[in-house]
Amino acid sequence: MLVPERVTCIVGARPNFMKVAPAHAALAARGLQVRLVHTGQHYDAKMSAVFFDDLGMPRPDAFLDVGSANHAVQTARVMERFDAELEAHPADLVLVAGDVNSTLATALVASKRGIAVGHIEAGLRSRDWTMPEEQNRILTDHCSDLLFTPSPDGDEHLLAEGIGAHRIHRVGNLMIDSLRKHQDRALQLPTLDRLGLQAGGYAVTTLHRPSNVDDPEQLAALVAALGEVAAQVPVIFPIHPRTRARIEQAGIALPSGLQLAQPLGYLEFLGLMAQCALMLTDSGGIQEETTALGVPCLTLRDNTERPVTVSEGSNTLLGSDPASIAPAATEILAGDGKRGRVPVGWDGHASQRLADVVCGGFVPLTERPPGT
Ligand code: UD1
């Protein structure tokens, strides 16, 4: 039985911060020694630093400064640097979140050192092995001792893949802990005034998936379709650096009404999301956040690893055909959008349930009889 005293929490890329902040705070409040390591996968102030302030998260104890590179090189860099970090600062448990390259890299290093791994947001599956995130989440799950799932489909996938029930803990959605904690503050910011928008009178879009932005033809068609929506309501587009670079490289002209903005901080984006008429996105996390807020969301992908946002929440999986965007948006803007309901366990207390599991102790994989 292991009752961890020293926990190292990992953040690396933008979608990690809002999942790790509540876990870090809950574990520290229980008296554990918690160390925060930032791999540096995201490094622009607007993709990283602003989140620490917005979420009230302490500065990282270590910054590995890996930066951008192709997938294998970035993963390898994180592994080398995190191995040295663990050598200098041993831990009983390494806590990782989500499905980015930093998640898999640090989980693997801990596993190779015989250190227990906890995975926040375990069990999600898109069934699309071409997505780097699908590779990362499946491989991370299989080397984790504690699998913290957000919804029942996560448990089902893990059990079907042969992972023992004793490793699976359905704690709910940690990202929604952050959302509930900061929602009121986000609504008080003057973001809408700054951007010249009226509550309920605009749409928001984000795009960054390789499948949407790496092919110039697909990207141009998506931008044109967003232009059709922008003919009806202003569409605000806080743009990921990789998408901006692709638009510039391809020389794509921006239709009027489509308003490009710098990537926003957590609070500003939350405020914008909570008051929009419609979200159009290929993000994973935004599908969940709009479900928690009851805001209609059109997901511009062919699959989702978050089906509960469609079956229960406010999400519609529209697919990646740009021609379907304007008709679906028009319907929602006419008032026919899905509002859905909030799934069980997305209640703002997931981090407390995670801390209960960690502090209650568990038998790590290294101490289990073979095959169990
Ligand atoms: C990563 C995650 C993705 C997540 C996304 C959220 C992986 C495999 N992908 O994708 O799951 O949804 O983060 O944003 O881990 N760049 C900057 N500044 C930064 C970071 C990146 O300009 O601070 C640019 C660089 O040109 C870089 C490119 O964005 O090469 C891609 O960054 P990378 O971290 O490799 O992947 P993301 O597309 O951000």
Side-chain angles (χ1 to χ4, degrees):
M1 180 80 145
L2 171 69
V3 182
E5 291 175 5
R6 301 163 302 177
V7 180
T8 293
C9 295
I10 307 295
V11 290
R14 186 166 61 174
N16 292 152
F17 303 120
M18 52 296 259
K19 295 165 196 164
V20 172
H24 182 283
L27 294 172
R30 307 269 177 121
L32 276 70
Q33 290 173 45
V34 191
R35 199 170 157 78
L36 185 61
V37 173
H38 189 332
T39 65
Q41 177 175 342
H42 283 176
Y43 43 84
D44 284 356
K46 290 187 163 60
M47 300 291 284
S48 173
V50 62
F51 288 85
F52 286 81
D53 297 333
D54 280 2
L55 292 160
M57 199 164 36
R59 297 284 142 194
D61 299 294
F63 184 68
L64 307 183
D65 200 14
V66 299
S68 301
N70 74 38
H71 290 278
V73 172
Q74 188 176 57
T75 306
R77 268 191 208 149
V78 175
M79 286 187 70
E80 276 199 12
R81 294 182 196 184
F82 185 55
D83 196 49
E85 153 67 28
L86 272 183
E87 179 73 28
H89 300 279
D92 305 316
L93 174 69
V94 170
L95 195 58
V96 303
D99 54 19
V100 301
N101 288 340
S102 298
T103 309
L104 173 62
T106 50
L108 261 179
V109 169
S111 190
K112 297 279 183 197
R113 283 184 165 261
I115 297 172
V117 176
H119 185 201
I120 297 171
E121 200 183 83
L124 303 193
R125 299 289 182 265
S126 70
R127 302 294 177 212
D128 177 359
W129 190 251
T130 64
M131 287 177 73
E133 293 81 5
E134 183 76 351
Q135 301 167 4
N136 289 339
R137 58 175 85 95
I138 290 179
L139 296 170
T140 301
D141 280 344
H142 282 261
C143 67
S144 293
D145 300 66
L146 296 174
L147 296 127
F148 299 112
T149 56
S151 46
D153 53 303
D155 303 36
E156 286 158 22
H157 296 142
L158 296 171
L159 290 168
E161 290 171 20
I163 289 178
H166 54 83
R167 289 161 67 188
I168 304 170
H169 303 273
R170 195 185 321 147
V171 295
N173 194 326
L174 271 92
M175 192 171 57
I176 306 306
D177 285 17
S178 287
L179 184 144
R180 294 293 177 225
K181 180 172 177 194
H182 298 291
Q183 193 173 356
D184 289 345
R185 212 153 54 97
L187 286 171
Q188 283 157 19
L189 294 178
T191 315
L192 266 51
D193 287 347
R194 182 168 74 75
L195 296 168
L197 303 168
Q198 304 280 336
Y202 63 94
V204 181
T205 190
T206 78
L207 291 174
H208 74 281
R209 293 263 156 235
S211 57
N212 278 332
V213 307
D214 284 358
D215 171 12
E217 253 179 59
Q218 169 72 0
L219 182 57
L222 283 171
V223 168
L226 292 170
E228 289 178 51
V229 181
Q232 302 178 56
V233 282
V235 179
I236 178 97
F237 187 5
I239 193 163
H240 187 291
R242 61 176 282 133
T243 310
R244 184 181 285 277
R246 295 286 187 271
I247 287 179
E248 284 168 6
Q249 279 158 14
I252 297 170
L254 292 171
S256 64
L258 183 61
Q259 259 174 263
L260 251 52
Q262 292 287 326
L264 297 174
Y266 180 71
L267 291 175
E268 280 208 315
F269 192 75
L270 178 53
L272 199 64
M273 209 167 23
Q275 297 172 84
C276 73
L278 163 66
M279 172 65 71
L280 303 120
T281 191
D282 62 7
S283 153
I286 291 172
Q287 297 171 52
E288 297 187 344
E289 290 168 327
T290 46
T291 275
L293 293 165
V295 166
C297 176
L298 295 175
T299 294
L300 311 182
R301 287 171 46 186
D302 294 325
N303 54 57
T304 178
E305 60 289 330
R306 292 156 162 99
V308 73
T309 61
V310 177
S311 59
E312 295 188 29
S314 59
N315 189 20
T316 302
L317 188 62
L318 195 65
S320 51
D321 177 6
S324 55
I325 294 176
T330 304
E331 212 177 299
I332 291 176
L333 293 172
D336 290 337
K338 240 169 117 177
R339 299 279 164 191
R341 63 169 187 268
V342 180
V344 172
W346 296 25
D347 56 359
H349 304 294
S351 52
Q352 294 304 329
R353 292 187 286 268
L354 177 147
D356 290 343
V357 173
V358 170
C359 296
F362 57 95
V363 180
L365 287 172
T366 49
E367 289 176 21
R368 287 201 168 269
T372 67

